Amino acid sequence: MALLDIHDLSIAFGGVKALQHVSFSIDSGIVYSVIGPNGAGKTTLFNLITGVYTPTSGEIRLDGAAIHGRPPNELARRGMARTFQNLQICLNMTALENVMVGAHLRLDRNLVKAALRWPSIRRRDADLRDEAAELMRFVGLDRYTRARADSMPYGALKRLEIARALAMKPRILFLDEPAAGLNPTETLEIDALIRKVAATGVTVVLVEHDMKMVMSLSDRILVLDYGRKLAEGTAAEVRQDANVIAAYLGAHA
Amino acid sequence: MRDPRHLGLAVLAAVLAVLPFVLPNSFYLDLAIRMAINAIVVLGLNLLIGFAGQISFGHAGFLGIGAYASAVLPTHYGVHPMLALGAGAAAAGALAAAVSYPIFKLKGHYLAMATLGLGIILNIAFRNEAALTGGPDGMPVPSLELFSFTLSSDRDWYWVVAALLVVSVWASLNLIDSPFGRALRALHGSEVASKVVGVDIARYKMAIFVMSAVFASIMGSITAHYVGFVTPTVSEFFHSIELVTMVVVGGMASVFGSLVGAVLLTALPQILATFEGWETVAFGAILILFMIVLPRGLVPTLAARLGKGG
Ligand SMILES: Nc1ncnc2c1ncn2[C@@H]1O[C@H](COP(=O)(O)OP(=O)(O)OP(=O)(O)O)[C@@H](O)[C@H]1O
Ligand SMILES: [Mg+2]
């Protein structure tokens, strides 16, 4: 059984049919990419799967269980993590604290114990600080373990989002354009980071415009165009697909 | 102690310990007590406004619940004052919980209007239930007994309020730097990001709204017992504005800013005493001025200047 099963998924915003009857499935442990021109519905797809939006119709199943319409905080509990195309970093917190927030569900969130400086909470927080610093090193943010988030450059914040998502210890990680706005060197580093994450057994779902990166990284690729599924398959299959060549690559060439 | 905030707590405790011995007369002792009471309310309000990013223009209503619980329940029903204080806090908490679900679906101006409306409704209730509350003229409040000890002298009151303040600052500092507090700050920083990492944001907003309401109600009770009399002005809209102004002036999301804001703006009416009636205008002007010139407030701005980074 596939890890994630999407069946006949649609959503409309007023008159805009952002996604129409999209179906596909993602097996556990692979790197799965979603590509398509601007406005194709890639981010909308991520928003539907992670519970930020509720579909107009269709089904989303995780391990066979229907999850469409469930709130994001519940899906987080089931092992879903994501980053955002438009950065969603908490600039009112330190970099390390942003990563620590990723571990939210693994912590004792009791208000009264927190206010009383309960020893178990202090100890767990001290360990978590080390864990978060380790994750920051893992994504290449060694230099920023003591930084405030609002003092960090854009490229570093992109990685910070990945570190926060990894702090959730997810089973499936959605990355929405992790290399957007990065220079070629930084893009190569993100490429290497995604491989490192995938090697730990996390299923990675990637939206990315950098075709070289997508083609070399992905086990399978979904192509969207105007909210519809244009093609799906391995990199080689997608590259040779007549629809893709006509509609997508043609438009970009 | 490596943490500057815990150094701040130690300094606060030291200042509070020597203050009554250096204050020249009872006028200043009274002022210090009222500053400390306001500081505790503002601490709670700053957790809501500064840390969680949710506004309330109705917090004086919760002060009113505590104050009137401590006046009405012992006077008319013979309830022990400590029990009345607890009942007021429970009622304020329950009301905050009940309204939080619809209220926090709102944002920005709408949230401000809804909390403002809540405060006004409470104020009207205290004003109109004259049989119980004495209406606009108010009513006397019996003195507060702690176990077998009756609080009467200003010195006694000072120590109680000073101890409450130190504990509140300590608890607030702990809370902010905990999983609960990080979730609270995270939903302020990005609601969608905090949802996606698993934060049930509606529950967190409710929890902090309830907590700040309970803080306010308890301090309303304390104020009522301390003054010995309560009138509907305690729950007036202007009082809510005063409290928000204290948060803004001292600094949003700053524990010690809350204290600074409360101290400065509790002293202000004394300084402005000669301009009786212009207080409201002064507070409004200060609020606007800070929003424009020093939006982060005094303490965070100073901390940034000193390079401590908040
Ligand atoms: N919340 C929303 N309200 C209204 N329309 C929306 C909303 N979210 C997305 N859309 C619309 O849905 C369509 C798909 O947008 P989406 O952001 O998913 O595209 P995308 O494939 O991620 O594009 P890009 O490559 O530019 O990020 C667009 O026409 C967009 O305007
Ligand atoms: Mg997008």
Side-chain angles (χ1 to χ4, degrees):
Chain A
M1 186 177 53
L3 175 60
L4 192 71
D5 242 311
I6 310 287
H7 181 67
D8 202 20
L9 195 66
S10 303
I11 187 171
F13 301 103
V16 181
K17 291 176 177 167
L19 277 182
Q20 297 181 66
H21 310 294
V22 173
S23 301
F24 62 95
S25 57
I26 299 176
D27 285 328
S28 188
I30 67 168
V31 176
Y32 191 99
S33 289
V34 181
I35 60 172
N38 294 112
K42 306 178 295 291
T43 298
T44 302
L45 180 65
F46 275 20
N47 282 335
L48 286 170
I49 298 173
T50 56
V52 175
Y53 294 159
T54 304
T56 312
S57 65
E59 285 184 355
I60 306 169
R61 292 179 179 274
L62 184 67
D63 284 329
I67 56 162
H68 43 276
R70 308 309 307 163
N73 54 306
E74 190 188 314
L75 300 181
R77 210 175 285 280
R78 293 174 185 245
M80 267 201 205
R82 71 173 285 184
T83 65
F84 296 86
Q85 181 179 358
N86 56 334
L87 284 177
Q88 292 291 338
I89 287 294
C90 301
L91 296 175
N92 56 336
M93 301 168 81
T94 67
L96 199 70
E97 284 175 331
N98 268 277
V99 181
M100 290 167 83
V101 166
H104 180 73
L105 289 174
R106 293 192 277 128
L107 306 173
D108 181 349
R109 283 115 41 200
N110 187 293
L111 185 160
V112 177
K113 280 157 91 180
L116 296 178
R117 208 180 170 83
W118 213 256
S120 62
I121 289 191
R122 304 304 302 180
R123 254 180 276 126
R124 183 70 187 85
D125 258 14
D127 291 345
L128 180 60
R129 247 167 250 284
D130 296 339
E131 203 184 306
E134 187 51 50
L135 273 173
M136 286 183 69
R137 279 189 282 277
F138 181 79
V139 301
L141 291 177
D142 325 42
R143 288 176 50 204
Y144 296 101
T145 50
R146 303 172 75 93
R148 294 166 52 114
D150 63 4
S151 70
M152 291 165 68
Y154 177 81
L157 292 177
K158 289 286 247 195
R159 288 162 192 257
L160 190 61
E161 286 225 341
I162 298 175
R164 177 176 66 195
L166 291 175
M168 297 172 70
K169 293 199 190 297
R171 291 197 299 152
I172 181 162
L173 172 61
F174 295 82
L175 301 172
D176 197 347
E177 304 202 13
L182 303 187
N183 65 36
T185 320
E186 289 173 324
T187 302
L188 282 179
E189 287 168 2
I190 291 288
D191 183 313
L193 175 58
I194 294 171
R195 287 173 202 274
K196 261 202 313 186
V197 171
T200 65
V202 177
T203 306
V204 176
V205 187
L206 175 70
V207 166
E208 189 45 66
H209 282 294
D210 186 320
M211 279 308 128
K212 230 171 70 194
M213 180 168 156
V214 168
M215 291 297 164
S216 75
L217 261 180
S218 315
D219 295 300
R220 294 187 76 79
I221 299 171
L222 168 72
V223 188
L224 291 178
D225 192 28
Y226 292 109
R228 291 177 180 278
K229 172 168 150 182
L230 202 61
E232 206 251 14
T234 63
E237 286 165 2
V238 163
R239 231 189 315 231
Q240 286 157 16
D241 188 286
N243 286 333
V244 175
I245 293 167
Y248 181 70
L249 298 176
H252 272 239
Chain B
M1 279 304 172
R2 277 165 297 148
D3 188 335
R5 286 174 301 185
H6 289 106
L7 182 66
L9 183 64
V11 170
L12 172 72
V15 169
L16 288 171
V18 297
L19 203 55
F21 304 105
V22 298
L23 289 177
N25 54 43
S26 63
F27 171 83
Y28 287 99
L29 193 62
D30 168 66
L31 189 59
I33 292 168
R34 286 186 295 114
M35 283 172 173
I37 289 173
N38 281 336
I40 296 172
V41 178
V42 174
L43 263 180
L45 193 58
N46 207 345
L47 288 173
L48 178 74
I49 298 179
F51 288 97
Q54 312 300 312
I55 189 73
S56 169
F57 280 122
H59 251 55
F62 296 120
L63 276 163
I65 291 179
Y68 278 101
S70 291
V72 171
L73 295 179
T75 308
H76 294 298
Y77 304 100
V79 176
H80 189 280
M82 282 306 285
L83 212 61
L85 181 147
L95 178 65
V99 298
S100 82
Y101 188 68
I103 265 189
F104 287 123
K105 290 197 160 170
L106 307 173
K107 287 193 166 67
H109 305 311
Y110 299 101
L111 179 59
M113 291 304 287
T115 52
L116 186 155
L118 178 68
I120 289 177
I121 290 167
L122 287 167
N123 182 248
I124 292 174
F126 300 135
R127 216 173 266 283
N128 289 356
E129 290 301 316
L132 279 176
T133 65
D137 297 334
M139 69 183 289
V141 183
S143 53
L144 181 61
E145 296 158 37
L146 284 174
F147 311 105
S148 62
F149 182 75
T150 305
L151 277 166
S152 51
S153 81
D154 277 10
R155 273 287 167 99
D156 296 344
W157 274 108
Y158 177 86
W159 293 120
V160 167
V161 170
L164 280 176
L165 178 59
V166 171
V167 171
S168 305
V169 169
W170 177 74
S172 301
L173 290 173
N174 293 341
L175 194 65
I176 290 157
D177 193 17
S178 75
F180 180 94
R182 284 194 300 272
L184 209 59
R185 288 183 287 144
L187 75 85
H188 185 190
S190 167
E191 284 205 1
V192 68
S194 43
K195 277 189 214 168
V196 162
V197 298
V199 179
D200 183 346
I201 62 172
R203 267 193 56 195
Y204 278 77
K205 290 179 184 177
M206 180 199 277
I208 203 63
F209 191 53
V210 167
M211 189 180 144
S212 67
V214 167
F215 262 53
S217 174
I218 292 174
M219 296 326 287
S221 291
I222 299 270
T223 309
H225 284 299
Y226 169 61
V227 177
F229 202 85
V230 58
T231 69
T233 42
V234 65
S235 63
E236 255 177 7
F237 173 57
F238 173 58
H239 195 186
S240 292
I241 294 295
E242 274 184 307
L243 296 170
V244 172
T245 310
M246 291 175 188
V247 170
V248 171
V249 167
M252 303 252 211
S254 164
V255 166
F256 292 101
S258 305
L259 308 192
V260 170
V263 164
L264 290 181
L265 293 182
T266 308
L268 188 72
Q270 311 300 327
I271 300 163
L272 293 181
T274 43
F275 302 100
E276 187 99 51
W278 288 89
E279 267 174 39
T280 319
V281 178
F283 272 88
I286 289 171
L287 190 56
I288 292 168
L289 190 75
F290 267 80
M291 286 299 202
I292 295 169
V293 182
L294 216 59
R296 291 175 65 193
L298 288 172
V299 171
T301 306
L302 271 175
R305 290 266 160 86
L306 295 175
K308 280 187 187 142

